[in-house]
Amino acid sequence: MTHARDIRVIVSDVDGVWTDGKIIYAGDRSEVKNFNVRDGLGAKLVQRIGIQIVLLTSRNSPALARRARELGVTELHQGAANKLVECQQILERLDIPFSQALYAGDDLPDLAPMLRAGLSAAPADAAPEVYAAALWKLKSPGGHGAFRELVERLLRERGEWEAVVQGYR
């Protein structure tokens, strides 16, 4: 089993992990997504220690593109028809093996990459099969700090959390 200190990248689904999975349509062309600000800080914290974030989703959303830009997430992959294939291609391009990836997902399309990743996590409200398969079973539901919880656990297990907190004192 992979140790947290071996993780070099977090590959995360978006709808159901970073959001509560709801999609609100505002007319014919716009959609609204609700992001948790704590997840955003979690992204910044993990990026500071050199862990890359990859957002991998089967949908296409301008709101997500904006959020990724705001957080400095350059690896945004939208419209993924097959998340396992897409994840393999991304990791090969980044020259990172699955064993050094933490995959976070909440529904059946996430299952295959989760099972191959060194570590995996699922929000509390993930599909039962996905939650059962996750190594890290998060207490937070998607869109309510699940990504932040994942980051905190990762940093704690790496022994880096107290230094992060100390930096804010």
Side-chain angles (χ1 to χ4, degrees):
M1 186 166 112
T2 299
H3 190 278
R5 71 175 161 264
D6 299 324
I7 297 300
R8 294 174 48 204
V9 63
I10 298 172
V11 180
S12 180
D13 178 37
V14 178
D15 293 314
V17 177
W18 286 68
T19 75
D20 64 5
K22 292 178 185 168
I23 301 167
I24 301 168
Y25 292 109
D28 288 340
R29 294 194 178 115
S30 298
E31 74 177 26
V32 177
K33 288 194 182 283
N34 190 17
F35 295 101
N36 190 308
V37 71
R38 289 188 182 143
D39 290 335
L41 179 58
K44 291 294 192 183
L45 296 176
V46 81
Q47 288 169 324
R48 280 187 204 153
I49 65 163
I51 295 176
Q52 190 162 8
I53 297 172
V54 174
L55 298 178
L56 178 60
T57 180
S58 57
R59 300 196 73 255
N60 287 294
S61 167
L64 174 58
R66 177 181 173 184
R67 185 65 174 146
R69 274 192 314 274
E70 289 173 351
L71 296 174
V73 175
T74 57
E75 290 291 339
L76 170 60
H77 300 268
Q78 300 192 75
N82 183 318
K83 288 189 177 179
L84 176 59
V85 170
E86 188 83 20
C87 191
Q88 286 173 324
Q89 292 172 351
I90 294 164
L91 293 176
E92 284 175 15
R93 185 175 49 73
L94 296 175
D95 195 28
I96 298 174
F98 259 108
S99 63
Q100 293 179 335
L102 189 165
Y103 190 98
D106 74 300
D107 212 345
L108 297 177
D110 300 306
L111 198 51
M114 284 179 71
L115 292 172
R116 286 158 181 81
L119 291 174
S120 59
D125 59 344
E129 298 83 359
V130 174
Y131 195 75
L135 294 171
W136 290 359
K137 293 164 178 36
L138 304 174
K139 295 176 184 171
S140 303
H144 297 275
F147 189 79
R148 169 64 174 270
E149 180 183 339
L150 176 157
V151 167
E152 285 187 27
R153 179 165 180 183
L154 181 65
L155 294 177
R156 286 179 197 279
E157 291 199 14
R158 291 169 67 102
E160 300 180 41
W161 181 248
E162 284 307 314
V164 167
V165 173
Q166 193 62 33
Y168 284 93
R169 289 195 170 133

